[in-house]
């Protein structure tokens, strides 16, 4: 597992993480905004409290990732696999996640603000919504 120092990582604006295998990486409390990570393996990654605004996470594997209190404003999660991801208290304002898989994801307390078109065809199966309710279906 790649381990970076907490509270000291700033890799904003890099485009070198395209299709990278960063499974299990610890980027908690880091600033990783505006990065192009399309198709990357970020399964089991720790993004607790990370700044991920305007990051391209299209078609990424975020299975089991911890995004607790992460700021994902304006991030692109189209086609992302967020199965078992923890998004508790995350900021998901204006996130685009068409066709994303949120099976068993936990969105308890998350700030969600988007139009329906931005989450079209996303899968919600046993997904814990911000109010604690369980949702099954597509939007």
């Amino acid at each position: 597992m790649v381990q970076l120092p907490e509270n000291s990582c700033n890799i904003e604006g890099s485009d070198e993480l395209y299709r990278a295998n960063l499974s299990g990486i610890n980027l908690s409390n880091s600033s990783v905004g505006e990065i192009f990570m399309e198709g990357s393996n970020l399964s089991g990654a720790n993004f607790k409290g990370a700044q991920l605004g305007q990051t391209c996470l299209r078609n990424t594997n975020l299975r089991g990732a911890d995004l607790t209190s992460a700021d994902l404003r304006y991030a692109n999660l189209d086609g992302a696999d967020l199965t078992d991801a923890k998004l508790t208290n995350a900021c998901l304002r204006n996130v685009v996640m068409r066709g994303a898989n949120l099976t068993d994801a936990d969105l308890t307390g998350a700030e969600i603000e988007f139009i329906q078109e931005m989450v079209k065809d996303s899968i919600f199966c046993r997904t814990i919504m911000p109010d604690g309710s369980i949702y099954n279906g597509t939007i």
Side-chain angles (χ1 to χ4, degrees):
M1 175 172 84
V2 177
Q3 186 79 20
L4 297 174
E6 289 187 6
N7 301 317
S8 65
C9 185
N10 181 344
I11 52 175
E12 290 188 12
S14 171
D15 64 356
E16 299 176 19
L17 300 175
Y18 175 73
R19 299 185 65 161
N21 183 2
L22 300 172
S23 179
I25 192 167
N26 183 356
L27 290 173
S28 60
N29 299 310
S30 296
S31 183
V32 290
E34 299 180 33
I35 294 178
F36 188 77
M37 289 195 261
E38 182 172 0
S40 292
N41 179 3
L42 300 166
S43 60
N46 181 354
F47 287 109
K48 274 186 184 177
Q51 300 296 314
L52 295 160
Q54 298 181 345
T55 298
C56 179
L57 296 162
R58 276 192 316 248
N59 301 312
T60 54
N61 178 355
L62 286 157
R63 293 177 74 93
D66 190 345
L67 294 145
T68 300
S69 299
D71 186 346
L72 291 148
R73 274 181 266 212
Y74 299 98
N76 185 331
L77 290 157
D78 281 349
D81 185 354
L82 291 152
T83 301
D84 291 317
K86 188 171 184 180
L87 293 141
T88 306
N89 298 317
C91 180
L92 300 170
R93 290 190 201 145
N94 298 302
V95 168
V96 179
M97 59 170 82
R98 291 176 290 257
N101 185 350
L102 289 111
T103 298
D104 295 318
D106 186 352
L107 300 167
T108 304
E111 293 179 53
I112 297 178
E113 181 182 303
F114 48 70
I115 58 173
Q116 190 170 356
E117 181 61 31
M118 295 166 78
V119 292
K120 184 178 179 185
D121 299 324
S122 288
I123 300 166
F124 293 84
C125 181
R126 298 178 305 272
T127 304
I128 303 172
M129 300 306 283
D131 64 0
S133 65
I134 306 293
Y135 185 75
N136 291 294
T138 57
I139 294 180

